[in-house]
Amino acid sequence: MSLRYPLLFCLAAVSAFAMSPPHMWNKLILTHHWPNTFCSVEACHHPNITYWTLHGLWPNKGILCNASWHFNTSEIQDLLPDMDKSWPDLLKPASSGFWKYEWSKHGTCAAKAPALNSQHKYFSKALELYHKVDLNSILRKFDIIPSEKYYKFSQLEAVIENFYGVTPKIQCVHPSKNGDVQVLAQIEICFSPDFSLLDCEKEISSSPYSVCDEDAPVYYPPL
Ligand SMILES: *[C@@H]1O[C@H](CO)[C@@H](O)[C@H](O)[C@H]1NC(C)=O
Ligand SMILES: *[C@@H]1O[C@H](CO)[C@@H](O)[C@H](O)[C@H]1NC(C)=O
Ligand SMILES: *[C@@H]1O[C@H](CO)[C@@H](O)[C@H](O)[C@H]1NC(C)=O
């Protein structure tokens, strides 16, 4: 099954964009991270998680848009079982610190759009998109599984691009200056303001990761 959307939806996205004020974001970036790679870079306990988890849902413009809009777990009470599983805090298991951080940094900016203007709307939409994209199943389906053997970057990118019909942004950790192997870290899938798939831009960088090198082999580390 392809997630390509009919032309009608693309036109709707274009007109919604045309009506938005110029300072408004016009793209949402659904960011997944691979826990094993994250924990090789950050000081977290080695997680027992063997699937891609959510890092965040980021508008392409704006950070920290409303300091007085505090994160409140009670507002997303019904989402917590899914949040714990799909969007875990890898640094502090069972804490809501990561969600609080993502809400203040990105959620308060996403909330400029009526479709995302509450904590419940923001977090539930992120979970909905994460499940709809279902990256874990798609990678497995096309035999991209954590392995001691290396992948070609072009193979990995092609699987994602062919399935979703849009360009993802795939980031790696480059372990050493001379190391010729890069470690798969983060996969971003982008959406329009009305939540249809869009190409991501590869050049925007978010350390400590950078866009994977086209030519170097990719290590997708198993637990
Ligand atoms: C890790 O997950 C496996 C499979 O779900 C489970 O059998 C094991 O007990 C877990 N280990 C820890 C430390 O949670
Ligand atoms: C910031 O958040 C507060 C609390 O939700 C809200 O009352 C206020 O209208 C928001 N400000 C802006 C500029 O959106
Ligand atoms: C958190 O949200 C709940 C439910 O909407 C509300 O009753 C409570 O007052 C909020 N707490 C704070 C500190 O804003």
Side-chain angles (χ1 to χ4, degrees):
M1 190 197 72
S2 161
L3 286 183
R4 278 175 204 268
Y5 283 52
L7 182 61
L8 197 61
F9 284 85
C10 302
L11 293 174
V14 168
S15 60
F17 168 55
M19 289 182 301
S20 328
H23 59 273
M24 180 65 181
W25 54 264
N26 55 31
K27 190 176 281 192
L28 286 168
I29 304 163
L30 183 76
T31 305
H32 307 74
H33 54 191
W34 181 242
N36 201 15
T37 306
F38 178 87
C39 290
S40 71
V41 176
E42 304 288 337
C44 53
H45 297 291
H46 201 276
N48 196 12
I49 299 179
T50 52
Y51 51 90
W52 289 82
T53 60
L54 261 171
H55 183 168
L57 181 65
W58 305 337
N60 66 339
K61 272 186 210 155
I63 54 162
L64 302 167
C65 293
N66 187 343
S68 58
W69 200 347
H70 301 296
F71 175 72
N72 180 350
T73 321
S74 326
E75 305 218 343
I76 57 165
Q77 208 62 42
D78 61 314
L79 306 175
L80 294 181
D82 196 6
M83 293 290 291
D84 283 331
K85 179 163 197 291
S86 305
W87 202 336
D89 187 330
L90 300 171
L91 295 174
K92 281 190 194 160
S95 137
S96 60
F98 188 34
W99 308 330
K100 181 180 177 188
Y101 175 85
E102 289 293 312
W103 167 255
S104 12
K105 188 169 176 190
H106 303 287
T108 55
C109 303
K112 288 179 177 180
L116 299 172
N117 66 1
S118 74
Q119 296 182 43
H120 195 272
K121 286 184 192 174
Y122 173 72
F123 286 104
S124 61
K125 182 56 81 174
L127 291 169
E128 179 196 319
L129 294 175
Y130 169 81
H131 292 299
K132 198 165 168 184
V133 163
D134 198 11
L135 184 64
N136 287 292
S137 308
I138 300 315
L139 293 178
R140 260 197 315 272
K141 177 177 167 167
F142 292 96
D143 291 324
I144 307 285
I145 50 173
S147 166
E148 293 300 341
K149 75 179 170 65
Y150 301 146
Y151 289 92
K152 272 188 173 166
F153 179 73
S154 57
Q155 180 194 358
L156 184 64
E157 190 179 40
V159 160
I160 296 175
E161 209 163 307
N162 292 340
F163 183 80
Y164 297 106
V166 287
T167 309
K169 179 167 133 187
I170 305 174
Q171 293 174 300
C172 288
V173 175
H174 302 270
S176 73
K177 253 189 172 150
N178 301 319
D180 57 352
V181 175
Q182 50 190 345
V183 185
L184 186 59
Q186 198 147 271
I187 298 180
E188 300 180 357
I189 303 286
C190 296
F191 291 88
S192 68
D194 71 346
F195 313 113
S196 36
L197 290 161
L198 269 189
D199 287 337
C200 291
E201 282 141 58
K202 296 189 186 179
E203 60 277 10
I204 306 161
S205 88
S206 58
S207 59
Y209 309 138
S210 50
V211 170
C212 305
D213 189 321
E214 299 278 341
D215 302 315
V218 176
Y219 179 45
Y220 181 10
L223 268 190

